[in-house]
Amino acid sequence: MDLTAHADEFNADPYPFYEALRAVGPVHRLVLGGERAWLVVGHQEARAALSHPALSKNWLGSELFEVAQVNAVATNMLDSDPPHHTRLRRLVAREFTSRRVESLRPRVQQITDGLLDAMDAVPERRGDLIRAFAVPLPMTLICELLGVPNLDRARFRYWSGEIVAPLDGVGAHPRVLEEMTSYLSGLVAAKAGEPGDDLLSALIRTRDEDGDQLSPDELIGMAFLLLVAGHETTVNLIGNGVRALLDHPEQLAALRADPDGLIDGAVEEMLRYDGPVQHATYRFADADLELGGVPIATGSSVLVALAAADRDPARFTGPGPGPEAFDIRRTGPGHLAFGHGIHYCLGAPLARMEGRIAIRSLLERFPGLAGDPDAGPLDWLPGTLMRGVTRLPLRW
C-alpha cells in the first residue's frame, strides 16, 4: 500500500485502511514518503515486534536516514538498544520517579484551573480547545519540569510540532533539529553552571553506583525526548479524548454522572480507541526474522501501527463490546498506546495523570461543552506518527 497516495483520507480516518489490511493479513509492505517499510497491523504481531530482539531502534546504521542528519538529539534512549538503552533508562529512572510524578499533581491541577478560568472569561463562550487548553497544559508542565524559561516555550511548540507532524507529512527539516539541538546544548550548559530544582538539573547531577553519569550529548538527547514526547502525546490524548466523548454522548453522560468511578477507565479507553501515537517509531531488522508468517529480511524497516493493533478483533474475542466501539466501562485486555517491552513509555504515569485531571476538570467546569457547528471541517495532523487534529473548535 502507498499511504502517501491516500494521505488526506488516511489522516482523517485511518481505521478503515487498517481494517482492510487486517482482513488480508497482519503484516504488509508499505510505501510512505517514497520509503519502503513493513507495516504491522495485528495486535499479537505488534506485541512481538515491539519486543523482538532482532528489531533495533538504533537508526544510525539504517538505509532510511542519512548520516548527515545525526546530531546530539539522537543520543536518547528511544533511539538506542541494550546495553546502551539499559544504561540510559536506568540513569533517567533514578530521577524521573513515581514520587516525582505524584508530587506534580497539585501543579497539574493548578495549571488546569488557570487555563479553564481563561476559557471561562471568553465572552463568546467558544474557541479552539487545542490552543486554549490541550497545548498549554502539558507544555507548561514539561517546560517547568525541565526548567525551560517561559519565553522559550513558543519556540519549543513550533520545533516539536515540526518534528512529530511536519507540514509535508514526511520528515522534519534538518534546520529544526539543528536549532533545537543548539538551544538544548545551551540549556544543559546553563543548568550545569547554575543548577536548580528541575529534572534536567537532577539528571546532570545523578550518578550510578559505579559513578556513571549522562554525557553532555546524552543530556541533550534526553531533554529532547522528554520535551517532545512529554507534551505532544498529552496534547492529542486530550484532543482525541474530548472528540471521542462528544461523538458518543451516552458515554459522555455516563462519565459526567460518575467521574470518580469512570475517569480512569475513560482515559484508558481514549488511549486505546484513538490514541495520540498512531505508529511507533521505526525499527530496523538486524537479522532475518518472521512476523505473522511474513519473512522480513535483514536491513528492512518496520513500523508498528499501535492504532491498528488496538482495534484488532482478534484481541477482543470474549463477551463485551467489539474493538470499534468506544466504551469507557471496557474491561479485559490492555492497550499498546504506551508501547510494550523495554521501550514502554517512561512518562506513562505522568500522561495518565494529566489526562485524568484535564478531562475531568474540563467536564466539571463546562457542563454544556459541545462541538461548534459553525467551525467547518477538522484539520488533521499530517504524517503517520501522531494522531490528532490541529484545532478543535468547541462551545462551552
Side-chain angles (χ1 to χ4, degrees):
M1 171 177 280
D2 183 355
L3 285 185
T4 312
H6 305 277
D8 291 342
E9 187 181 357
F10 180 85
N11 289 338
D13 187 4
Y15 297 103
F17 287 87
Y18 295 141
E19 183 178 5
L21 290 172
R22 277 195 310 266
V24 178
V27 182
H28 296 268
R29 196 63 167 152
L30 172 75
V31 177
L32 180 64
E35 303 291 348
R36 294 184 179 274
W38 291 100
L39 181 69
V40 182
V41 295
H43 190 280
Q44 181 178 339
E45 294 76 16
R47 281 177 62 91
L50 291 172
S51 58
H52 202 294
L55 288 177
S56 168
K57 290 303 301 292
N58 183 2
W59 51 266
L60 300 186
S62 76
E63 296 178 352
L64 194 62
F65 296 93
E66 297 291 339
V67 175
Q69 289 182 293
V70 176
N71 55 36
V73 300
T75 57
N76 64 73
M77 59 189 180
L78 183 61
D79 294 324
S80 62
D81 301 320
H84 184 50
H85 169 271
T86 309
R87 171 182 164 269
L88 290 177
R89 189 161 180 127
R90 182 178 65 245
L91 285 167
V92 175
R94 291 174 67 91
E95 298 299 334
F96 198 55
T97 61
S98 57
R99 182 177 179 181
R100 183 185 284 271
V101 170
E102 186 58 30
S103 73
L104 295 170
R105 184 180 296 275
R107 180 57 179 148
V108 174
Q109 188 67 64
Q110 184 181 37
I111 298 169
T112 298
D113 291 342
L115 294 170
L116 295 177
D117 287 344
M119 290 173 62
D120 211 5
V122 174
E124 57 268 30
R125 312 291 292 173
R126 64 176 60 192
D128 175 14
L129 188 75
I130 303 299
R131 170 180 277 188
F133 187 63
V135 166
L137 170 56
M139 175 60 81
T140 300
L141 186 71
I142 202 67
C143 284
E144 288 183 357
L145 186 62
L146 290 176
V148 174
N150 280 334
L151 294 176
D152 298 330
R153 294 174 191 178
R155 278 195 288 174
F156 272 117
R157 174 57 184 164
Y158 167 72
W159 287 333
S160 64
E162 277 294 289
I163 289 166
V164 303
L167 293 179
D168 62 8
V170 177
H173 194 284
R175 174 184 53 80
V176 173
L177 293 175
E178 291 168 6
E179 289 176 357
M180 196 168 190
T181 301
S182 176
Y183 177 87
L184 289 174
S185 177
L187 181 65
V188 167
K191 295 293 180 184
E194 191 174 341
D197 296 329
D198 53 87
L199 176 60
L200 186 54
S201 296
L203 290 175
I204 292 171
R205 291 191 300 264
T206 192
R207 291 178 183 269
D208 212 341
E209 287 77 4
D210 59 2
D212 185 25
Q213 65 183 139
L214 297 170
S215 70
D217 276 1
E218 289 168 346
L219 286 163
I220 291 170
M222 196 54 56
F224 165 82
L225 182 60
L226 291 169
L227 278 163
V228 175
H231 96 274
E232 288 287 350
T233 51
T234 307
V235 170
N236 295 301
L237 166 57
I238 295 170
N240 294 352
V242 170
R243 280 195 302 106
L245 287 172
L246 294 177
D247 288 343
H248 299 83
E250 74 289 350
Q251 299 292 312
L252 175 57
L255 181 56
R256 287 191 184 281
D258 184 16
D260 289 337
L262 294 177
I263 187 60
D264 289 2
V267 169
E268 296 308 306
E269 181 67 345
M270 292 168 189
L271 288 162
R272 182 206 68 84
Y273 177 77
D274 200 13
V277 182
Q278 185 172 181
H279 291 175
T281 51
Y282 279 100
R283 283 163 166 77
F284 310 99
D286 280 344
D288 292 350
L289 68 143
E290 186 176 289
L291 286 173
V294 176
I296 295 176
T298 302
S300 299
S301 304
V302 176
L303 278 173
V304 178
L306 306 177
D310 279 336
R311 292 204 189 185
D312 185 352
R315 180 67 168 166
F316 302 90
T317 56
E324 296 301 317
F326 177 69
D327 186 354
I328 63 174
R329 295 186 177 91
R330 184 184 298 274
T331 59
H335 55 73
L336 294 176
F338 291 119
H340 174 67
I342 64 169
H343 288 286
Y344 183 84
C345 179
L346 190 66
L350 179 59
R352 283 184 163 109
M353 180 177 72
E354 288 183 272
R356 291 164 184 167
I357 290 174
I359 298 294
R360 177 171 182 164
S361 299
L362 180 69
L363 297 183
E364 288 178 347
R365 178 68 72 93
F366 301 123
L369 192 72
D372 188 341
D374 302 323
L378 295 172
D379 297 320
W380 301 90
L381 291 175
T384 63
L385 177 60
M386 304 301 294
R387 167 75 181 152
V389 291
T390 60
R391 61 187 187 94
L392 184 57
L394 298 181
R395 295 172 295 145
W396 53 80

mmCIF file of all heavy atoms in Angstrom, residues 84-112:
data_model
loop_
_atom_site.group_PDB
_atom_site.id
_atom_site.type_symbol
_atom_site.label_atom_id
_atom_site.label_comp_id
_atom_site.label_asym_id
_atom_site.label_seq_id
_atom_site.Cartn_x
_atom_site.Cartn_y
_atom_site.Cartn_z
ATOM 1 N N HIS A 84 23.249 -0.062 25.764
ATOM 2 C CA HIS A 84 23.244 1.392 25.893
ATOM 3 C C HIS A 84 21.891 1.890 26.397
ATOM 4 O O HIS A 84 21.817 2.756 27.281
ATOM 5 C CB HIS A 84 23.579 2.030 24.544
ATOM 6 C CG HIS A 84 23.708 3.512 24.573
ATOM 7 N ND1 HIS A 84 24.480 4.188 25.496
ATOM 8 C CD2 HIS A 84 23.143 4.473 23.800
ATOM 9 C CE1 HIS A 84 24.397 5.486 25.280
ATOM 10 N NE2 HIS A 84 23.582 5.686 24.262
ATOM 11 N N HIS A 85 20.806 1.336 25.840
ATOM 12 C CA HIS A 85 19.472 1.737 26.289
ATOM 13 C C HIS A 85 19.279 1.436 27.768
ATOM 14 O O HIS A 85 18.715 2.250 28.516
ATOM 15 C CB HIS A 85 18.400 1.003 25.469
ATOM 16 C CG HIS A 85 17.019 1.142 26.021
ATOM 17 N ND1 HIS A 85 16.501 0.261 26.950
ATOM 18 C CD2 HIS A 85 16.058 2.069 25.807
ATOM 19 C CE1 HIS A 85 15.279 0.638 27.275
ATOM 20 N NE2 HIS A 85 14.983 1.721 26.589
ATOM 21 N N THR A 86 19.720 0.264 28.207
ATOM 22 C CA THR A 86 19.566 -0.137 29.608
ATOM 23 C C THR A 86 20.244 0.871 30.529
ATOM 24 O O THR A 86 19.687 1.271 31.563
ATOM 25 C CB THR A 86 20.177 -1.530 29.829
ATOM 26 O OG1 THR A 86 19.657 -2.423 28.834
ATOM 27 C CG2 THR A 86 19.862 -2.057 31.218
ATOM 28 N N ARG A 87 21.442 1.280 30.144
ATOM 29 C CA ARG A 87 22.192 2.251 30.940
ATOM 30 C C ARG A 87 21.477 3.599 30.997
ATOM 31 O O ARG A 87 21.308 4.185 32.068
ATOM 32 C CB ARG A 87 23.582 2.422 30.332
ATOM 33 C CG ARG A 87 24.381 3.567 30.929
ATOM 34 C CD ARG A 87 25.750 3.724 30.263
ATOM 35 N NE ARG A 87 26.291 5.021 30.584
ATOM 36 C CZ ARG A 87 26.105 6.104 29.839
ATOM 37 N NH1 ARG A 87 25.397 6.022 28.703
ATOM 38 N NH2 ARG A 87 26.615 7.273 30.216
ATOM 39 N N LEU A 88 21.032 4.106 29.841
ATOM 40 C CA LEU A 88 20.355 5.408 29.809
ATOM 41 C C LEU A 88 19.068 5.380 30.628
ATOM 42 O O LEU A 88 18.800 6.299 31.415
ATOM 43 C CB LEU A 88 20.037 5.800 28.364
ATOM 44 C CG LEU A 88 21.209 6.180 27.462
ATOM 45 C CD1 LEU A 88 20.710 6.460 26.055
ATOM 46 C CD2 LEU A 88 21.947 7.393 28.014
ATOM 47 N N ARG A 89 18.277 4.346 30.444
ATOM 48 C CA ARG A 89 16.992 4.275 31.147
ATOM 49 C C ARG A 89 17.207 4.169 32.652
ATOM 50 O O ARG A 89 16.455 4.766 33.431
ATOM 51 C CB ARG A 89 16.161 3.094 30.639
ATOM 52 C CG ARG A 89 14.736 3.099 31.188
ATOM 53 C CD ARG A 89 13.816 2.246 30.377
ATOM 54 N NE ARG A 89 12.458 2.267 30.904
ATOM 55 C CZ ARG A 89 11.382 2.550 30.196
ATOM 56 N NH1 ARG A 89 11.492 2.885 28.929
ATOM 57 N NH2 ARG A 89 10.183 2.528 30.757
ATOM 58 N N ARG A 90 18.211 3.421 33.069
ATOM 59 C CA ARG A 90 18.485 3.296 34.498
ATOM 60 C C ARG A 90 18.859 4.645 35.109
ATOM 61 O O ARG A 90 18.373 5.009 36.190
ATOM 62 C CB ARG A 90 19.626 2.289 34.721
ATOM 63 C CG ARG A 90 19.948 2.049 36.195
ATOM 64 C CD ARG A 90 21.040 1.008 36.367
ATOM 65 N NE ARG A 90 22.311 1.476 35.818
ATOM 66 C CZ ARG A 90 22.922 0.932 34.776
ATOM 67 N NH1 ARG A 90 22.368 -0.090 34.127
ATOM 68 N NH2 ARG A 90 24.074 1.404 34.342
ATOM 69 N N LEU A 91 19.695 5.415 34.413
ATOM 70 C CA LEU A 91 20.111 6.715 34.936
ATOM 71 C C LEU A 91 18.933 7.698 34.992
ATOM 72 O O LEU A 91 18.772 8.437 35.965
ATOM 73 C CB LEU A 91 21.232 7.286 34.070
ATOM 74 C CG LEU A 91 22.610 6.642 34.252
ATOM 75 C CD1 LEU A 91 23.550 7.078 33.128
ATOM 76 C CD2 LEU A 91 23.195 6.999 35.612
ATOM 77 N N VAL A 92 18.096 7.695 33.957
ATOM 78 C CA VAL A 92 16.945 8.605 33.939
ATOM 79 C C VAL A 92 15.914 8.198 34.976
ATOM 80 O O VAL A 92 15.326 9.047 35.665
ATOM 81 C CB VAL A 92 16.323 8.652 32.531
ATOM 82 C CG1 VAL A 92 15.057 9.504 32.537
ATOM 83 C CG2 VAL A 92 17.319 9.195 31.529
ATOM 84 N N ALA A 93 15.685 6.887 35.122
ATOM 85 C CA ALA A 93 14.676 6.405 36.075
ATOM 86 C C ALA A 93 15.046 6.732 37.518
ATOM 87 O O ALA A 93 14.163 6.783 38.385
ATOM 88 C CB ALA A 93 14.501 4.897 35.921
ATOM 89 N N ARG A 94 16.320 6.972 37.790
ATOM 90 C CA ARG A 94 16.732 7.351 39.143
ATOM 91 C C ARG A 94 16.124 8.689 39.556
ATOM 92 O O ARG A 94 15.921 8.949 40.748
ATOM 93 C CB ARG A 94 18.259 7.440 39.223
ATOM 94 C CG ARG A 94 18.981 6.114 39.115
ATOM 95 C CD ARG A 94 20.483 6.314 39.055
ATOM 96 N NE ARG A 94 20.998 6.850 40.307
ATOM 97 C CZ ARG A 94 21.426 6.102 41.319
ATOM 98 N NH1 ARG A 94 21.407 4.781 41.219
ATOM 99 N NH2 ARG A 94 21.886 6.657 42.419
ATOM 100 N N GLU A 95 15.840 9.558 38.584
ATOM 101 C CA GLU A 95 15.304 10.892 38.879
ATOM 102 C C GLU A 95 13.841 11.049 38.477
ATOM 103 O O GLU A 95 13.080 11.759 39.121
ATOM 104 C CB GLU A 95 16.151 11.961 38.178
ATOM 105 C CG GLU A 95 17.595 12.009 38.635
ATOM 106 C CD GLU A 95 17.730 12.335 40.120
ATOM 107 O OE1 GLU A 95 16.823 12.977 40.687
ATOM 108 O OE2 GLU A 95 18.751 11.943 40.719
ATOM 109 N N PHE A 96 13.435 10.388 37.366
ATOM 110 C CA PHE A 96 12.052 10.509 36.889
ATOM 111 C C PHE A 96 11.222 9.429 37.569
ATOM 112 O O PHE A 96 10.716 8.499 36.944
ATOM 113 C CB PHE A 96 12.020 10.380 35.367
ATOM 114 C CG PHE A 96 10.753 10.892 34.745
ATOM 115 C CD1 PHE A 96 10.319 12.191 34.979
ATOM 116 C CD2 PHE A 96 9.998 10.088 33.922
ATOM 117 C CE1 PHE A 96 9.155 12.663 34.390
ATOM 118 C CE2 PHE A 96 8.829 10.550 33.322
ATOM 119 C CZ PHE A 96 8.410 11.844 33.572
ATOM 120 N N THR A 97 11.061 9.574 38.865
ATOM 121 C CA THR A 97 10.441 8.550 39.701
ATOM 122 C C THR A 97 8.941 8.766 39.839
ATOM 123 O O THR A 97 8.419 9.849 39.545
ATOM 124 C CB THR A 97 11.066 8.564 41.102
ATOM 125 O OG1 THR A 97 10.821 9.859 41.691
ATOM 126 C CG2 THR A 97 12.568 8.325 41.031
ATOM 127 N N SER A 98 8.231 7.739 40.314
ATOM 128 C CA SER A 98 6.798 7.867 40.575
ATOM 129 C C SER A 98 6.546 8.917 41.664
ATOM 130 O O SER A 98 5.528 9.625 41.631
ATOM 131 C CB SER A 98 6.214 6.516 40.992
ATOM 132 O OG SER A 98 6.894 6.002 42.120
ATOM 133 N N ARG A 99 7.463 9.035 42.586
ATOM 134 C CA ARG A 99 7.319 10.055 43.638
ATOM 135 C C ARG A 99 7.398 11.459 43.048
ATOM 136 O O ARG A 99 6.612 12.342 43.424
ATOM 137 C CB ARG A 99 8.411 9.862 44.687
ATOM 138 C CG ARG A 99 8.331 10.849 45.850
ATOM 139 C CD ARG A 99 9.403 10.547 46.886
ATOM 140 N NE ARG A 99 9.354 11.486 47.997
ATOM 141 C CZ ARG A 99 10.192 11.475 49.031
ATOM 142 N NH1 ARG A 99 11.143 10.548 49.090
ATOM 143 N NH2 ARG A 99 10.080 12.359 49.994
ATOM 144 N N ARG A 100 8.348 11.686 42.124
ATOM 145 C CA ARG A 100 8.446 12.999 41.491
ATOM 146 C C ARG A 100 7.188 13.292 40.688
ATOM 147 O O ARG A 100 6.661 14.409 40.713
ATOM 148 C CB ARG A 100 9.685 13.065 40.594
ATOM 149 C CG ARG A 100 9.885 14.451 39.954
ATOM 150 C CD ARG A 100 11.038 14.450 38.971
ATOM 151 N NE ARG A 100 12.337 14.460 39.614
ATOM 152 C CZ ARG A 100 12.992 15.563 39.965
ATOM 153 N NH1 ARG A 100 12.437 16.758 39.744
ATOM 154 N NH2 ARG A 100 14.174 15.495 40.527
ATOM 155 N N VAL A 101 6.698 12.281 39.945
ATOM 156 C CA VAL A 101 5.481 12.467 39.148
ATOM 157 C C VAL A 101 4.296 12.799 40.048
ATOM 158 O O VAL A 101 3.533 13.736 39.777
ATOM 159 C CB VAL A 101 5.197 11.213 38.303
ATOM 160 C CG1 VAL A 101 3.804 11.289 37.669
ATOM 161 C CG2 VAL A 101 6.264 11.033 37.229
ATOM 162 N N GLU A 102 4.118 12.065 41.116
ATOM 163 C CA GLU A 102 2.990 12.300 42.015
ATOM 164 C C GLU A 102 3.072 13.672 42.659
ATOM 165 O O GLU A 102 2.050 14.322 42.905
ATOM 166 C CB GLU A 102 2.944 11.210 43.088
ATOM 167 C CG GLU A 102 1.719 11.270 43.988
ATOM 168 C CD GLU A 102 0.397 11.176 43.235
ATOM 169 O OE1 GLU A 102 0.360 10.517 42.171
ATOM 170 O OE2 GLU A 102 -0.589 11.773 43.706
ATOM 171 N N SER A 103 4.284 14.156 42.912
ATOM 172 C CA SER A 103 4.444 15.487 43.518
ATOM 173 C C SER A 103 3.973 16.595 42.581
ATOM 174 O O SER A 103 3.732 17.730 43.026
ATOM 175 C CB SER A 103 5.911 15.712 43.895
ATOM 176 O OG SER A 103 6.718 15.922 42.741
ATOM 177 N N LEU A 104 3.827 16.287 41.288
ATOM 178 C CA LEU A 104 3.383 17.275 40.313
ATOM 179 C C LEU A 104 1.868 17.432 40.272
ATOM 180 O O LEU A 104 1.354 18.359 39.639
ATOM 181 C CB LEU A 104 3.875 16.886 38.910
ATOM 182 C CG LEU A 104 5.386 16.893 38.692
ATOM 183 C CD1 LEU A 104 5.723 16.265 37.344
ATOM 184 C CD2 LEU A 104 5.937 18.304 38.778
ATOM 185 N N ARG A 105 1.133 16.535 40.941
ATOM 186 C CA ARG A 105 -0.329 16.550 40.847
ATOM 187 C C ARG A 105 -0.935 17.916 41.196
ATOM 188 O O ARG A 105 -1.781 18.427 40.437
ATOM 189 C CB ARG A 105 -0.916 15.451 41.731
ATOM 190 C CG ARG A 105 -2.436 15.325 41.639
ATOM 191 C CD ARG A 105 -2.958 14.207 42.536
ATOM 192 N NE ARG A 105 -2.458 12.906 42.104
ATOM 193 C CZ ARG A 105 -3.012 12.172 41.161
ATOM 194 N NH1 ARG A 105 -4.109 12.596 40.551
ATOM 195 N NH2 ARG A 105 -2.489 10.996 40.827
ATOM 196 N N PRO A 106 -0.569 18.552 42.326
ATOM 197 C CA PRO A 106 -1.161 19.861 42.630
ATOM 198 C C PRO A 106 -0.872 20.903 41.555
ATOM 199 O O PRO A 106 -1.729 21.735 41.247
ATOM 200 C CB PRO A 106 -0.516 20.239 43.965
ATOM 201 C CG PRO A 106 -0.067 18.955 44.566
ATOM 202 C CD PRO A 106 0.318 18.094 43.418
ATOM 203 N N ARG A 107 0.340 20.852 40.976
ATOM 204 C CA ARG A 107 0.691 21.831 39.951
ATOM 205 C C ARG A 107 -0.112 21.570 38.672
ATOM 206 O O ARG A 107 -0.546 22.523 38.001
ATOM 207 C CB ARG A 107 2.194 21.769 39.668
ATOM 208 C CG ARG A 107 2.667 22.763 38.606
ATOM 209 C CD ARG A 107 2.333 24.192 38.966
ATOM 210 N NE ARG A 107 2.805 25.129 37.951
ATOM 211 C CZ ARG A 107 2.196 26.268 37.649
ATOM 212 N NH1 ARG A 107 1.075 26.618 38.286
ATOM 213 N NH2 ARG A 107 2.690 27.064 36.728
ATOM 214 N N VAL A 108 -0.320 20.298 38.310
ATOM 215 C CA VAL A 108 -1.142 19.979 37.141
ATOM 216 C C VAL A 108 -2.549 20.542 37.329
ATOM 217 O O VAL A 108 -3.118 21.152 36.415
ATOM 218 C CB VAL A 108 -1.204 18.459 36.898
ATOM 219 C CG1 VAL A 108 -2.185 18.126 35.772
ATOM 220 C CG2 VAL A 108 0.182 17.908 36.563
ATOM 221 N N GLN A 109 -3.107 20.369 38.520
ATOM 222 C CA GLN A 109 -4.449 20.896 38.787
ATOM 223 C C GLN A 109 -4.457 22.414 38.748
ATOM 224 O O GLN A 109 -5.405 23.026 38.222
ATOM 225 C CB GLN A 109 -4.933 20.396 40.150
ATOM 226 C CG GLN A 109 -6.390 20.723 40.441
ATOM 227 C CD GLN A 109 -7.355 19.989 39.533
ATOM 228 O OE1 GLN A 109 -7.438 18.767 39.554
ATOM 229 N NE2 GLN A 109 -8.100 20.729 38.713
ATOM 230 N N GLN A 110 -3.417 23.039 39.268
ATOM 231 C CA GLN A 110 -3.331 24.500 39.271
ATOM 232 C C GLN A 110 -3.258 25.060 37.855
ATOM 233 O O GLN A 110 -3.951 26.035 37.518
ATOM 234 C CB GLN A 110 -2.110 24.938 40.079
ATOM 235 C CG GLN A 110 -1.976 26.442 40.242
ATOM 236 C CD GLN A 110 -0.725 26.829 41.024
ATOM 237 O OE1 GLN A 110 0.323 26.201 40.885
ATOM 238 N NE2 GLN A 110 -0.840 27.842 41.860
ATOM 239 N N ILE A 111 -2.409 24.460 37.010
ATOM 240 C CA ILE A 111 -2.318 24.912 35.619
ATOM 241 C C ILE A 111 -3.654 24.709 34.910
ATOM 242 O O ILE A 111 -4.144 25.585 34.181
ATOM 243 C CB ILE A 111 -1.200 24.149 34.874
ATOM 244 C CG1 ILE A 111 0.162 24.434 35.509
ATOM 245 C CG2 ILE A 111 -1.179 24.542 33.399
ATOM 246 C CD1 ILE A 111 1.265 23.509 35.006
ATOM 247 N N THR A 112 -4.264 23.557 35.129
ATOM 248 C CA THR A 112 -5.556 23.242 34.513
ATOM 249 C C THR A 112 -6.606 24.271 34.907
ATOM 250 O O THR A 112 -7.325 24.806 34.042
ATOM 251 C CB THR A 112 -6.013 21.835 34.950
ATOM 252 O OG1 THR A 112 -5.069 20.868 34.486
ATOM 253 C CG2 THR A 112 -7.391 21.512 34.400
#
